[in-house]
Amino acid sequence: TLSGVTWAWNFDAGSTPATSADQNPVVQFTTPGWQPVKLTVSNAQGISSKADTFLVYVANDLASYQAPFYEGFEDPNVVSSGEWASVNYDENLTSFKRVNFASHSGNACVQLNNYDSRADHDIDELISPGFDLTALSNANLQLSFYYSLTSWNQNFSELVDSIVVYATSNCGTSWIALYKKAGSQVVNAGYWQGYFVPTQEQSYWKQV
């Protein structure tokens, strides 16, 4: 520990402990979802505090579903309930939300409304529940999804948008990038001047 420095941690009321003066506390969270964390550090020069609502995420179960599995987002509560967690780090207008006015099939999909917020370095995430893959052989391990993306800029080479899919098999200690495309590589539905809503026309959708 550093001489003369004190730490004051505050966690969710349902955690154990709810507060700590340790530099590196070990905390057990019992409530699913994002856990608010606040740290106040002080020394002879003053006090500094930092609060973060997107630091620790506790899933409902380690393996909520058995593979094979399909999610069409037809359930209106599948995202709002936190079963699929939408993470909006910048707390702006851009975030993953379930909508029922566009879909590849069925009536719904998850939309990232990038039209209303074009901030640089804006990171948004959609986190799936855990899956039990033990029933599948290595040869049958496959993840696929459909997406539809247009650009408001006709010069696709100037795009900085990217799509990255990560997976973890150790509760988030480490992540592996399964898929990553950026710039002009992510555009599959061409140039669109206004607010884009794809129909079920297959030319608007790409399967990865």
Side-chain angles (χ1 to χ4, degrees):
T1 61
L2 300 176
S3 177
V5 179
T6 61
W7 292 268
W9 294 87
N10 288 272
F11 307 103
D12 182 79
S15 65
T16 305
T19 62
S20 176
D22 295 342
Q23 182 179 359
N24 299 299
V26 176
V27 184
Q28 182 179 12
F29 298 95
T30 57
T31 304
W34 289 101
Q35 309 299 318
V37 177
K38 181 180 180 180
L39 171 63
T40 300
V41 179
S42 61
N43 61 15
Q45 280 68 49
I47 300 175
S48 180
S49 294
K50 170 72 174 178
D52 197 330
T53 56
F54 295 118
L55 186 64
V56 177
Y57 180 78
V58 178
N60 289 317
D61 294 297
L62 295 181
S64 300
Y65 298 101
Q66 299 278 331
F69 177 84
Y70 170 81
E71 180 59 71
F73 300 103
E74 296 298 301
D75 182 349
N77 301 312
V78 70
V79 176
S80 61
S81 66
E83 186 174 0
W84 287 68
S86 175
V87 187
N88 183 4
Y89 290 104
D90 296 296
E91 298 183 325
N92 55 15
L93 294 175
T94 306
S95 64
F96 283 101
K97 296 178 181 177
R98 178 197 177 270
V99 297
N100 60 4
F101 52 75
S103 67
H104 169 265
S105 60
N107 300 303
C109 71
V110 170
Q111 178 203 49
L112 179 65
N113 182 6
N114 228 7
Y115 182 78
D116 287 335
S117 179
R118 300 171 184 172
D120 291 339
H121 308 294
D122 183 14
I123 298 176
D124 292 278
E125 295 180 351
L126 182 67
I127 304 177
S128 76
F131 298 98
D132 182 355
L133 307 179
T134 55
L136 301 180
S137 66
N138 288 338
N140 291 326
L141 291 176
Q142 183 180 24
L143 169 70
S144 65
F145 60 92
Y146 287 93
Y147 79 89
S148 183
L149 188 148
T150 63
S151 171
W152 60 271
N153 187 338
Q154 295 185 66
N155 187 357
F156 297 162
S157 63
E158 295 180 1
L159 285 180
V160 296
D161 299 66
S162 63
I163 299 175
V164 187
V165 178
Y166 289 100
T168 179
S169 59
N170 52 21
C171 299
T173 301
S174 60
W175 295 82
I176 299 172
L178 302 180
Y179 177 86
K180 183 175 183 179
K181 296 292 181 182
S184 60
Q185 294 179 320
V186 301
V187 179
N188 75 295
Y191 165 67
W192 198 275
Q193 283 187 309
Y195 187 93
F196 173 64
V197 178
T199 67
Q200 291 187 355
E201 169 61 45
Q202 294 305 293
S203 62
Y204 283 127
W205 297 89
K206 179 179 181 179
Q207 184 180 26
V208 173

